[in-house]
Coordinates of all heavy atoms in Angstrom, one line a residue:
E1 N -3.2 30.9 -21.9 CA -4.6 30.7 -22.3 C -5.0 29.3 -22.2 O -6.2 29.0 -21.9 CB -4.8 31.2 -23.7 CG -4.9 32.7 -23.8 CD -5.3 33.2 -25.2 OE1 -4.6 33.0 -26.1 OE2 -6.4 33.9 -25.3
Y2 N -4.2 28.3 -22.5 CA -4.5 26.9 -22.5 C -5.1 26.5 -21.1 O -5.8 25.5 -21.0 CB -3.3 26.0 -22.9 CG -2.3 25.9 -21.8 CD1 -2.4 24.9 -20.9 CD2 -1.3 26.9 -21.6 CE1 -1.4 24.8 -19.8 CE2 -0.4 26.8 -20.6 CZ -0.4 25.7 -19.7 OH 0.5 25.6 -18.7
R3 N -4.8 27.2 -20.1 CA -5.2 26.9 -18.7 C -6.7 27.2 -18.4 O -7.2 26.7 -17.5 CB -4.3 27.6 -17.7 CG -2.8 27.3 -17.9 CD -2.0 28.1 -17.0 NE -2.1 27.5 -15.6 CZ -1.4 28.0 -14.6 NH1 -0.6 29.0 -14.8 NH2 -1.5 27.5 -13.4
G4 N -7.3 28.0 -19.3 CA -8.7 28.3 -19.1 C -8.8 29.5 -18.2 O -8.1 29.7 -17.2
Y5 N -9.8 30.4 -18.5 CA -10.0 31.6 -17.8 C -11.3 32.3 -18.3 O -11.8 31.9 -19.3 CB -8.8 32.6 -17.9 CG -8.6 33.1 -19.3 CD1 -9.1 34.3 -19.7 CD2 -7.9 32.3 -20.2 CE1 -9.0 34.8 -21.0 CE2 -7.7 32.8 -21.5 CZ -8.3 34.0 -21.9 OH -8.1 34.4 -23.2
D6 N -11.8 33.2 -17.5 CA -13.0 33.9 -18.0 C -12.8 35.4 -17.9 O -13.7 36.2 -18.3 CB -14.3 33.5 -17.2 CG -14.2 33.7 -15.7 OD1 -13.2 34.4 -15.3 OD2 -15.0 33.2 -15.0
S7 N -11.7 35.9 -17.3 CA -11.4 37.3 -17.3 C -9.9 37.5 -17.3 O -9.2 36.6 -16.9 CB -12.1 38.0 -16.1 OG -11.6 37.4 -14.9
A8 N -9.5 38.7 -17.6 CA -8.1 39.0 -17.6 C -7.9 40.5 -17.3 O -8.8 41.3 -17.5 CB -7.5 38.7 -19.0
G9 N -6.7 40.8 -16.8 CA -6.4 42.2 -16.5 C -4.9 42.5 -16.5 O -4.1 41.6 -16.5
I10 N -4.6 43.8 -16.6 CA -3.2 44.2 -16.6 C -3.1 45.5 -15.8 O -4.0 46.3 -15.9 CB -2.7 44.3 -18.0 CG1 -1.2 44.6 -18.1 CG2 -3.4 45.4 -18.8 CD1 -0.5 44.5 -19.4
C11 N -2.0 45.7 -15.1 CA -1.7 46.9 -14.4 C -0.3 47.3 -14.7 O 0.6 46.5 -14.6 CB -1.9 46.7 -12.9 SG -1.7 48.2 -11.9
I12 N -0.1 48.6 -15.0 CA 1.3 49.1 -15.2 C 1.5 50.3 -14.4 O 0.5 50.9 -13.9 CB 1.6 49.5 -16.7 CG1 0.6 50.6 -17.2 CG2 1.5 48.2 -17.6 CD1 0.9 51.1 -18.5
I13 N 2.7 50.7 -14.1 CA 3.1 51.9 -13.4 C 3.5 52.9 -14.5 O 4.5 52.7 -15.2 CB 4.2 51.7 -12.4 CG1 3.7 50.7 -11.3 CG2 4.5 53.0 -11.8 CD1 4.8 50.3 -10.4
S14 N 2.8 54.0 -14.6 CA 3.1 55.0 -15.6 C 3.1 56.4 -14.9 O 2.1 56.8 -14.4 CB 2.1 55.0 -16.8 OG 2.4 56.0 -17.7
E15 N 4.2 57.0 -15.0 CA 4.4 58.4 -14.4 C 3.9 58.4 -12.9 O 3.3 59.3 -12.5 CB 3.6 59.4 -15.2 CG 4.1 59.6 -16.6 CD 3.4 60.6 -17.5 OE1 2.6 61.3 -16.9 OE2 3.6 60.6 -18.7
G16 N 4.3 57.3 -12.2 CA 4.0 57.2 -10.8 C 2.6 56.8 -10.4 O 2.3 56.8 -9.3
Q17 N 1.8 56.5 -11.4 CA 0.4 56.1 -11.1 C 0.2 54.7 -11.6 O 0.7 54.2 -12.7 CB -0.6 57.0 -11.8 CG -0.5 58.4 -11.3 CD -1.7 59.3 -11.8 OE1 -2.5 58.8 -12.6 NE2 -1.7 60.5 -11.5
L18 N -0.7 53.9 -11.0 CA -1.1 52.6 -11.4 C -2.2 52.8 -12.4 O -3.2 53.4 -12.2 CB -1.6 51.8 -10.2 CG -0.6 51.4 -9.2 CD1 -1.3 50.7 -8.0 CD2 0.5 50.6 -9.7
I19 N -2.0 52.2 -13.6 CA -3.0 52.2 -14.7 C -3.5 50.7 -14.8 O -2.8 49.8 -15.2 CB -2.4 52.7 -16.0 CG1 -1.7 54.0 -15.8 CG2 -3.5 52.7 -17.1 CD1 -2.5 55.1 -15.4
T20 N -4.8 50.5 -14.6 CA -5.4 49.2 -14.6 C -6.4 49.0 -15.7 O -7.3 49.9 -15.8 CB -6.0 48.9 -13.2 OG1 -5.0 49.1 -12.2 CG2 -6.6 47.5 -13.1
N21 N -6.4 47.9 -16.4 CA -7.4 47.6 -17.4 C -7.8 46.1 -17.1 O -7.0 45.3 -17.0 CB -6.9 47.7 -18.8 CG -6.7 49.2 -19.2 OD1 -7.6 49.9 -19.5 ND2 -5.4 49.6 -19.1
K22 N -9.2 45.9 -17.0 CA -9.7 44.5 -16.8 C -10.8 44.3 -17.8 O -11.6 45.2 -18.2 CB -10.3 44.4 -15.4 CG -9.3 44.8 -14.3 CD -9.9 44.5 -13.0 CE -10.8 45.6 -12.5 NZ -11.2 45.5 -11.1
V23 N -11.0 43.0 -18.2 CA -12.1 42.7 -19.1 C -12.6 41.3 -18.7 O -11.9 40.5 -18.2 CB -11.7 42.6 -20.6 CG1 -11.3 44.0 -21.1 CG2 -10.6 41.6 -20.9
Q24 N -13.9 41.1 -19.0 CA -14.5 39.8 -18.9 C -14.3 39.2 -20.3 O -14.4 39.9 -21.3 CB -16.0 39.8 -18.6 CG -16.3 40.1 -17.2 CD -17.8 40.1 -17.0 OE1 -18.6 39.7 -17.8 NE2 -18.2 40.5 -15.8
G25 N -13.9 37.9 -20.4 CA -13.7 37.3 -21.7 C -12.2 37.2 -22.1 O -11.4 37.1 -21.2
R26 N -12.0 37.1 -23.4 CA -10.7 36.7 -23.9 C -9.6 37.8 -23.8 O -9.9 39.0 -23.8 CB -10.9 36.3 -25.4 CG -11.9 35.3 -25.7 CD -11.7 34.0 -25.0 NE -10.6 33.3 -25.5 CZ -10.1 32.2 -25.0 NH1 -10.7 31.6 -24.0 NH2 -9.1 31.6 -25.5
I27 N -8.4 37.4 -23.9 CA -7.3 38.3 -23.8 C -7.3 39.2 -25.0 O -6.9 40.4 -25.0 CB -5.9 37.5 -23.7 CG1 -5.9 36.8 -22.4 CG2 -4.7 38.4 -24.0 CD1 -4.7 35.8 -22.2
Q28 N -7.8 38.7 -26.2 CA -7.9 39.6 -27.4 C -8.7 40.8 -27.1 O -8.4 41.9 -27.6 CB -8.5 38.8 -28.5 CG -7.6 37.8 -29.1 CD -7.6 36.5 -28.3 OE1 -8.4 36.3 -27.4 NE2 -6.7 35.5 -28.6
K29 N -9.7 40.7 -26.3 CA -10.6 41.9 -25.9 C -9.7 42.9 -25.1 O -9.8 44.1 -25.3 CB -11.8 41.4 -25.1 CG -12.8 42.4 -24.8 CD -14.0 41.8 -24.1 CE -15.1 42.8 -23.7 NZ -16.2 42.1 -23.0
L30 N -8.9 42.4 -24.2 CA -8.0 43.3 -23.4 C -7.0 43.9 -24.3 O -6.8 45.1 -24.2 CB -7.3 42.4 -22.3 CG -6.3 43.2 -21.4 CD1 -7.0 44.3 -20.6 CD2 -5.7 42.2 -20.5
E31 N -6.5 43.1 -25.2 CA -5.5 43.6 -26.2 C -6.1 44.8 -27.0 O -5.4 45.8 -27.3 CB -5.0 42.5 -27.0 CG -3.8 42.8 -27.9 CD -3.3 41.5 -28.6 OE1 -4.0 40.6 -28.8 OE2 -2.1 41.5 -28.8
S32 N -7.3 44.6 -27.5 CA -7.9 45.7 -28.3 C -8.1 47.0 -27.5 O -8.0 48.1 -28.1 CB -9.2 45.2 -28.9 OG -10.2 45.0 -28.0
I33 N -8.4 46.9 -26.3 CA -8.5 48.1 -25.4 C -7.2 48.7 -25.3 O -7.1 50.0 -25.3 CB -9.1 47.7 -24.1 CG1 -10.6 47.3 -24.2 CG2 -9.0 48.8 -23.1 CD1 -11.2 46.7 -22.9
L34 N -6.2 47.9 -25.1 CA -4.8 48.5 -24.8 C -4.2 49.1 -26.1 O -3.2 49.9 -26.0 CB -3.9 47.4 -24.2 CG -4.3 47.0 -22.8 CD1 -3.5 45.8 -22.4 CD2 -4.2 48.1 -21.8
E35 N -4.7 48.7 -27.3 CA -4.1 49.3 -28.5 C -4.3 50.8 -28.6 O -3.4 51.5 -29.2 CB -4.8 48.6 -29.7 CG -4.3 47.2 -30.0 CD -5.0 46.6 -31.2 OE1 -6.0 47.2 -31.7 OE2 -4.7 45.4 -31.5
T36 N -5.3 51.3 -28.0 CA -5.6 52.7 -28.0 C -5.0 53.5 -26.8 O -5.1 54.7 -26.7 CB -7.1 53.0 -28.1 OG1 -7.8 52.4 -27.0 CG2 -7.6 52.4 -29.4

């Protein structure tokens, strides 16, 4: 985070499929989406 950014995303392989989540803003926003 110290490097600066304006968006973040993550992609995992689950049951043979790519699952992607992206957000504008802070990593905490991405983290809250991934909690559910």
